[in-house]
Amino acid sequence: MACINMVSIASTMQTQKLHSTTEKDSQPERISTYKPNIWKYDHLLSLTNQYSEAKYKIEAEKLKEEVGCMFSNTTSPVAQLQLIDGIDKLGLSAYFEVDTKETLENIILYMKTSSTSKDLYATALCFRLLREHGYHASQDMLKDLFDGKGKLPLDMKTSLELFEGSHLSIDGENLLNDIRLFSTKNLKNLSLDVDRLTSNPLAWRVRWYDVRKHIITAQNCNDTNPMLLKLAKLNFNIIQATHQKDLKDVIRWWRNVSIIENLEFTRERIVESFFFAVGIASEGEHGSMRKWLAKVIQLILIIDDVYDIYGTLADVQQFTVAIEKWDPEEVQRLPKSIQICFGALHDTMEDISVEIQRQKGGPSVLPHLKQVVELERGDVASSIICYMHQENVSEDVAREHIESIILNSWEKTNYHFNRLSTSHRKIMKHVINEARMAHVMYLSGDGFGVQDGETQDQVLINLVQSII
């Protein structure tokens, strides 16, 4: 998640290149296993969406007032928790931030003063929601649900809440680590798809890309307030209309750049890059951020392929110098394709810097943009194989090791997130969503390398197809 200096990345890539070329100045073969782009840009540019009309936003505001009354009409603590959980999962948190805050604080007060016996499910749900919303929630809240010997309630909904809540742990919370292990065992006994669940818990998922699934589930189960469901569908379609408009702008930019014709070896993944950017910042008001991110991500993919596939060692060394100095003159003796690549990177970063300064004011952000947030290609199998060779262990042992690294990283992220002020958490969520998008793109393979799989389905249902 942290910014990595491009020079450091280049150095690593250069080391890899030592094994792929023996003649310093020889021109390599343009070998790439990536498939051509599958998206028809004319079709995407021709999309029309009625939900961009103002009347739908007016309708949403009216529904918001009606749904807001549910907070005052719901008196049971567990029902209030379920209402907040439903609002979060249906993508409506931004509408009800004040109501949610007041309700959670009242529930905290109720928990301190109530002497009634605890509902195990409600306690587990409360713990998860408090941590998700940045409130202090001690792991001791759950000690009555777990006696240290593996005794956990066996009903599905409580086990699910314990499992999800345990992934909001920080380093040193041994009780939550035990709860994660035993709740996983319980869910397996209940015949759930535990492998899929454990590799993709709620805390690691991009909430916006779960919204449509929750809406469909709510429709099929008929257990959600009709007004709440209606608002969720309308809100999804309105935001999707905004995303479609942004996507069209990005596609037009990509066509105007006109570099892919000279870079046949690279990945043309502008739609996937935009999909990644939406996962980081899905809110309607962040259109500029989405477009900037999509452009940068696509250019990073191209640069990655220059290092991995196209350039000789001498080429990439000189390319690194050009990036370090931020000087177009430094690439004049390099192959035309690399000159075009650097030119696109240079001009796009300059344009983004000017646009940010015009919108936000203050000093130029170009120095920060020069230090490019390198997009990992997410080749998890390679990291597992490397560890297998390094330590001479089996795949299962290596996979367990990599998973422990991921868990540890999330514990550190949870710790720092909960130490931030409310205003800073809103910014930090975008950074955390970048890590979550890595799970989205690489959970079922290489989401950038292979388009016609789960990534294509996700693009269609989230960016193209409205909810009827």
Side-chain angles (χ1 to χ4, degrees):
M1 292 183 291
C3 290
I4 303 176
N5 190 287
M6 178 60 81
V7 178
S8 300
I9 300 165
S11 176
T12 302
M13 292 178 172
Q14 289 169 15
T15 302
Q16 295 171 343
K17 275 290 180 184
L18 286 171
H19 302 287
S20 62
T21 181
T22 55
E23 297 183 20
K24 183 175 181 181
D25 297 314
S26 64
Q27 184 66 27
E29 295 183 12
R30 298 187 181 187
I31 300 174
S32 173
T33 59
Y34 296 120
K35 294 182 180 179
N37 168 53
I38 65 171
W39 299 104
K40 305 301 181 183
Y41 296 146
D42 287 336
H43 170 67
L44 294 175
L45 289 170
S46 70
L47 292 174
T48 58
N49 197 315
Q50 63 182 357
Y51 292 98
S52 60
E53 299 175 16
K55 66 179 183 179
Y56 292 105
K57 292 184 179 179
I58 295 173
E59 183 181 352
E61 285 297 321
K62 292 180 179 178
L63 284 169
K64 174 188 171 184
E65 297 299 322
E66 295 184 43
V67 172
C69 296
M70 294 175 63
F71 281 92
S72 56
N73 295 336
T74 305
T75 57
S76 163
V78 66
Q80 291 175 335
L81 290 169
Q82 289 173 324
L83 174 61
I84 293 171
D85 188 36
I87 284 172
D88 289 348
K89 288 178 176 176
L90 293 173
L92 300 173
S93 301
Y95 281 120
F96 304 105
E97 288 181 346
V98 174
D99 299 287
T100 296
K101 182 176 184 294
E102 291 178 353
T103 302
L104 286 175
E105 290 176 353
N106 287 335
I107 288 175
I108 292 173
L109 182 62
Y110 170 82
M111 290 173 59
K112 290 179 178 179
T113 58
S114 175
S115 59
T116 58
S117 59
K118 292 182 179 179
D119 180 315
L120 299 184
Y121 161 71
T123 302
L125 175 59
C126 184
F127 174 82
R128 175 173 67 81
L129 290 176
L130 288 176
R131 288 221 169 177
E132 284 180 352
H133 286 266
Y135 289 92
H136 173 71
S138 170
Q139 64 173 348
D140 289 342
M141 279 181 63
L142 305 177
K143 65 182 180 180
D144 290 341
L145 287 69
F146 185 64
D147 63 6
K149 300 178 182 178
K151 181 181 179 182
L152 283 170
L154 295 178
D155 63 285
M156 184 181 297
K157 66 177 186 177
T158 305
S159 293
L160 275 171
E161 288 303 332
L162 289 171
F163 172 82
E164 299 292 6
S166 69
H167 283 84
L168 296 169
S169 66
I170 61 177
D171 188 40
E173 291 188 317
N174 295 328
L175 176 60
L176 288 181
N177 291 333
D178 290 342
I179 286 177
R180 182 176 63 254
L181 294 173
F182 283 100
S183 59
T184 301
K185 181 179 179 181
N186 275 359
L187 292 171
K188 187 174 183 179
N189 291 337
L190 293 166
S191 301
L192 262 68
D193 185 358
V194 175
D195 290 338
R196 179 76 175 185
L197 183 66
T198 54
S199 64
N200 198 27
L202 192 61
W204 299 359
R205 301 206 297 265
V206 173
R207 279 299 182 93
W208 181 250
Y209 287 149
D210 269 355
V211 168
R212 187 180 187 120
K213 178 187 72 175
H214 288 303
I215 290 175
I216 300 303
T217 300
Q219 286 185 148
N220 294 337
C221 294
N222 294 318
D223 60 353
T224 302
N225 182 284
M227 287 298 157
L228 180 61
L229 183 57
K230 186 176 181 180
L231 176 59
K233 292 167 63 176
L234 184 58
N235 180 66
F236 179 90
N237 289 337
I238 289 172
I239 293 180
Q240 186 188 69
T242 301
H243 293 167
Q244 286 181 8
K245 178 179 177 295
D246 296 339
L247 175 60
K248 292 177 185 179
D249 289 343
V250 170
I251 289 174
R252 293 188 189 101
W253 165 81
W254 179 241
R255 280 185 159 180
N256 289 335
V257 172
S258 300
I259 63 174
I260 199 65
E261 295 84 355
N262 299 286
L263 303 172
E264 297 176 355
F265 59 88
T266 193
R267 288 165 286 181
E268 182 179 5
R269 300 294 186 261
I270 193 62
V271 174
E272 287 75 16
S273 296
F274 181 76
F275 174 73
F276 197 107
V278 170
I280 294 174
S282 62
E283 300 85 354
E285 66 269 23
H286 293 313
S288 294
M289 186 191 298
R290 283 190 289 275
K291 288 184 276 190
W292 297 331
L293 284 169
K295 295 173 184 180
V296 171
I297 292 167
Q298 173 61 81
L299 291 174
I300 288 174
L301 291 175
I302 292 174
I303 293 170
D304 192 25
D305 292 341
V306 167
Y307 280 98
D308 284 355
I309 300 171
Y310 181 78
T312 65
L313 176 59
D315 288 342
V316 298
Q317 286 175 333
Q318 186 59 34
F319 189 47
T320 300
V321 171
I323 292 174
E324 184 180 16
K325 293 185 177 180
W326 204 241
D327 184 1
E329 293 298 320
E330 294 289 342
V331 297
Q332 292 306 308
R333 292 187 298 276
L334 293 178
K336 189 67 176 179
S337 295
I338 297 183
Q339 293 183 41
I340 293 170
C341 176
F342 181 84
L345 174 68
H346 182 276
D347 294 347
T348 300
M349 292 301 177
E350 296 277 351
D351 290 343
I352 290 175
S353 176
V354 170
E355 192 173 348
I356 291 175
Q357 197 167 13
R358 185 176 63 249
Q359 290 187 19
K360 306 295 183 181
S364 172
V365 298
L366 187 58
H368 302 287
L369 292 176
K370 290 178 185 177
Q371 293 185 347
V372 181
V373 178
E374 161 68 1
L375 177 67
E376 295 290 344
R377 291 176 63 176
D379 195 351
V380 178
S382 292
S383 61
I384 291 173
I385 291 171
C386 286
Y387 190 78
M388 289 170 63
H389 290 312
Q390 176 183 320
E391 301 296 330
N392 192 28
V393 296
S394 67
E395 180 179 344
D396 288 342
V397 172
R399 188 175 298 277
E400 184 176 342
H401 173 73
I402 298 301
E403 288 174 353
S404 70
I405 293 175
I406 294 172
L407 279 170
N408 182 255
S409 297
W410 276 109
E411 285 181 344
K412 292 177 180 178
T413 300
N414 295 335
Y415 171 78
H416 289 293
F417 178 76
N418 282 285
R419 288 174 63 88
L420 295 172
S421 65
T422 302
S423 59
H424 285 161
R425 284 195 203 108
K426 290 185 177 181
I427 299 172
M428 187 63 178
K429 281 182 179 179
H430 294 144
V431 181
I432 294 175
N433 275 340
E434 184 180 354
R436 288 169 174 157
M437 276 308 301
H439 288 284
V440 172
M441 295 300 290
Y442 300 114
L443 184 63
S444 301
D446 183 353
F448 279 112
V450 181
Q451 292 177 294
D452 53 351
E454 188 164 325
T455 303
Q456 180 184 23
D457 296 337
Q458 288 293 316
V459 169
L460 289 172
I461 64 174
N462 286 292
L463 300 181
V464 178
Q465 302 165 354
S466 299
I467 298 181
I468 306 301

